[in-house]
Every structure is written in C-alpha cells, then in structure tokens.
Amino acid sequence: MSSPKPYNIAIVGGGISGLTLAISLLQHNIPITIYESAAHFGEIGAGVGFGSNAARAMQLLHPKIYEIYQKCNTPNTWASKVLEFFTCRVGDTRKADKDGFVKPGKKVGDALFSVEYTEKWGNGGVYRAAFLDELVKEIPEGIAKFGHKLVSISEAEDGSGKKVLHFEDGSTATHDAVIGCDGIKSITRQVVLGKDNLATKAVFSGKYAYRGLIDMDKAIELVGEEQAQNAQMYFGYHGHVLTFPIAHGKIMNVVAFNSRETWDGPNWVVHTSKEEMQADYAGWGEIVQTIINAMQKPDIWALFNHPPASTYYKGRVCLLGDAAHATTPHHGAGAGMCIEDALILSNLLKDVDGIRDIERAFGVYEEMRKPRTQRLVKESKEAGMLYEFELEGDDLDKIEKNFTNRMYWVWNHDLPADIEKARSLFLGGKAKV
Ligand SMILES: Cc1cc2nc3c(=O)[nH]c(=O)nc-3n(C[C@H](O)[C@H](O)[C@H](O)COP(=O)(O)OP(=O)(O)OC[C@H]3O[C@@H](n4cnc5c(N)ncnc54)[C@H](O)[C@@H]3O)c2cc1C
Ligand SMILES: *[C@@H]1O[C@H](CO)[C@@H](O)[C@H](O)[C@H]1NC(C)=O
C-alpha cells in the first residue's frame, strides 16, 4: 500500500454518506476521523430503495460496499417483476365513476402500468439498520468518535489554514479539511453558506409520511402475494401509498404519504393517533385501508428539502449527501445521490497529494455534482405532486406518460464517465499550477 496522504480530514456525521465516504477514503490511504453526535451509529428501522445508479456507484466505490449491498438487497420477489420500480394503481375511491371504474376496464386497486428499469441488475431495497450495521463493520477501531456534536468551525490561530472543530461538550479537534455529512440539519452547511443564508434551512415540502413495516406473512394475508412481494404504488388525491419488500422478502416496507400546507414546531417526527392516521385515508379503497390499519406505530415524518445551495464548499470545508442537497423521497434516490457524491469526491481526493490541492478538488466535485443533485431535489418534489394528482391532475394517461419517462436520467447515468471527467478537470488544473 502507498504511504498515507500528508493531510487529515474530519468527516462530520456517520450516516450512509459519512460511512460510504469513509470506507472509500480509507481505501486510498487518506487519514480520516469521523465525528458523530450520537452515542453509536444507528439508522431508523425502515426501508430504503436504491436504483441501478446507486448500485453502480457502490460497485465503483468499493467492492466491499457492493458486496454488503448485494447481501442486504431485496429486489422484487417475482422473477417476472425484477425490472419493475413500481406497479402503479389508483388507491383512492374518489377517482372512480359510479360503476367503480378509474379508466375503461380498470377499477380501484387494479394494476394500471409499471415503471421499469432498463438495466437488469442492481435495483432494490434494503432494511436501513441492517445495511448500516454492515457498513460500520468496515470502519476500523479508533476512526469514529461518538458523542461529538459539532457546533461550529473556526480557523486555526497559527495561520496554517487548518480547521478547528468545536463540539457541544467543549472539546475541539483540528484537521486540514472538513467534509460535512451531517444531514438535513447540517451545521457544516451553515459554515459553508453563512449562518444567515436562508438556503441553510430546509423547507417543508407540503408532504408528510407514515412509515411502517409489516411481516411478509401478514402482508400476503392482507393484500395477496403479488402485491406484497413486489413494489406497489397507490395514487390518490393529495396522498399516495407505496410498499416494497425488504429483508430478503421477510418484511413489507410501507410509506404512506399525505399533505398539509404548513408544518409548525421544531419536531419533524411526531407521534399521532391511529384514528388520525386512518382519517387521512378515509376516502380510500379497501387495499390501502387494509395496509394503513396494519401499521403499528402511527408516527408522522414531515418531509423537508433544502433550497438550492449556491455552493457546496468554502475553502477546505465541503458538503456531501443530505447536508448538501436534502431531498424529498419521491424519486427514491436521495441516498443513492449521497453514494454518488462519495464516489466522485473520493476519486478526486485519491489524486490529491498535498493540502494545497484539496480546495481545488472540492471545486471540481461541486462542478460535477451540483447540477445533478439539485435537479433531483426539484424533480423529486414534482414527482410527489404527480403521484397525488397535483401535477397532471387525475388524468391517468398523462400520469403514466410522465412517470414512465421521468426516472431514466437518475438511473441510467454514466458514472464512469463522470469519474473520468472529474479527474481530467482536476489533473488538467493541476498541470497548469
Ligand atoms: C421518508 C423518507 C424515505 C426515504 N426513502 C429513500 C429511498 O427509498 N431511497 C433513497 O435513496 N433515499 C431515501 N431517502 C433519503 C435518504 O434517507 C437520505 O438521502 C440519506 O439517508 C441521507 O444520508 P446522510 O448520511 O447524508 O444523512 P443522515 O442519514 O441524516 O446522517 C447524518 C449523520 O450525521 C449526524 N449528525 C448530524 N448533525 C451532527 C452534528 N452537528 N455533529 C455530528 N454529527 C451530526 C447524525 O447523527 C447522522 O448520523 C428517504 C428519506 C426519507 C425522509
Ligand atoms: C412531467 O410534467 C411536468 C409538468 O407538466 C413537466 O414539466 C415535465 O417535463 C413532465 N416530465 C415528463 C418526463 O414528461
């Protein structure tokens, strides 16, 4: 192995972004420390879906990460449906005419169309906690410091340009550069954009979600094998419901969306009553009602997203993942973009042999990643409206046309070409110095 790079980097936050980045930087012998506010690594007990772009990013990032993904990944169970993102149906009876039809020959709950990947591999969903547990095993002892909640970053007083991280408990740490992977409520985002910049604060998207897990045996009993074992989306007025299998088909993951105009209060996850949850789907058909009734914990997750950031770095402080571009989940692609970010940034840092080139690498990373990731935030919000009859109205043919054409730029992106472009931008710049 080559000798360690002559600089050290602080990674703030150990979620999917921080961990995938850390594993790939370690592979390039770049000294890092992860500072995580929680007492230990942890993900929520829910599913996360990945498209073929995310799978490709993991494969290119590190063989071990891809191996972990393959180990945890659960595609649709039926061989005839492995290419499907979602089978789409109407879930809301208010869309039906007096004979129960939502369009000629189709009733509430009937399969209307499916949105499909063009690549045969890679897509699927994982149980978040299991996936993160496996990633954590790849981080050597001593790299992660827990209970370190970043509150601010200052310049080192010796004029070295080093960054001093200040933590809530009063302790500090000094590093040559900082990569903020601290999520949607990022402190590093405030450092990069300026505390008073409105773009530092995520805004409510108008949507919230209930998330739940149903044992597969139970799910099959409720909705039948086809719908329990393969990803489904049920459209409605100002709401939609999606389900997909995780945990090797042992669990059906449910996310049920609904709308409200504003979100008050600092808590983005609040407990509600089962009655309130059921009231949100009062006008819906039997299948959706059955799924909703089977959800155990009626917690509401408010869905926020970031306004576009003017930049993703300032000096030697850089943003990655949700800290840079937190999105609504309606393209199922937020975490995939985090992993793509890690892929591009680690391929740039691989070529950085001295401190003076770090900032330029951050600049090329921003140039490569900002357009794509900010497009996702915008179009994901739009997708949420599409599924809820707010973009193309309740015209099912228009919805089909729009949905079946809106995902390819996410999934079929040429990541190897991006890596090559990023490295040539960086190395080209280097030659000129
Ligand atoms: C309902 C919902 C469904 C979703 N579904 C999907 C999906 O199907 N597919 C998909 O690709 N994406 C999905 N996403 C998006 C995805 O979850 C995120 O994009 C991804 O998890 C972000 O990872 P991250 O590591 O950047 O941030 P986070 O997961 O938020 O991790 C940030 C980490 O930083 C730590 N931290 C925060 N502040 C500090 C601080 N000041 N100091 C130190 N540490 C700190 C936190 O404790 C945490 O560990 C969904 C999101 C939601 C809300
Ligand atoms: C979906 O609809 C919106 C709004 O009409 C439009 O801007 C967008 O281009 C459409 N996308 C596709 C892929 O048809």
Side-chain angles (χ1 to χ4, degrees), residues 6-84:
Y7 53 85
N8 60 67
I9 291 180
I11 295 177
V12 183
I16 288 174
S17 295
L19 290 177
T20 52
L21 178 72
I23 293 167
S24 63
L25 293 186
L26 288 169
Q27 154 186 249
H28 302 311
N29 219 348
I30 298 172
I32 54 161
T33 305
I34 302 173
Y35 297 98
E36 167 57 53
S37 58
H40 51 79
F41 290 121
E43 259 288 359
I44 58 157
V48 58
F50 287 113
S52 27
N53 61 305
R56 176 83 73 210
M58 290 188 242
Q59 191 184 39
L60 292 165
L61 195 53
H62 196 286
K64 192 72 203 186
I65 294 176
Y66 186 57
E67 193 185 299
I68 289 169
Y69 175 60
Q70 284 179 304
K71 187 169 153 192
C72 298
N73 183 28
T74 306
N76 285 335
T77 307
W78 290 15
S80 59
K81 301 200 181 286
V82 287
L83 273 179
E84 285 189 13

Side-chain angles (χ1 to χ4, degrees), residues 13 16-17 36-37 48-49 128 148 150 181-182 211 322 329 332-336:
I16 288 174
S17 295
E36 167 57 53
S37 58
V48 58
R128 302 182 76 115
H148 279 67
L150 182 77
C181 301
D182 45 348
R211 305 167 100 172
D322 272 20

Side-chain angles (χ1 to χ4, degrees), residues 375 378-379 382 386 391-392 398 401-407:
R375 180 178 177 188
K378 181 171 170 283
E379 294 197 12
E382 202 180 87
L386 177 72
L391 190 73
E392 302 279 21
K398 280 192 185 163
K401 187 155 175 268
N402 197 301
F403 196 1
T404 47
N405 286 301
R406 67 180 302 117
M407 302 301 302

Side-chain angles (χ1 to χ4, degrees), residues 308-310 312 325 369-378:
S310 55
Y312 283 2
H325 43 72
R369 296 302 300 161
K370 206 168 70 159
R372 181 167 162 82
T373 49
Q374 293 188 344
R375 180 178 177 188
L376 177 76
V377 179
K378 181 171 170 283

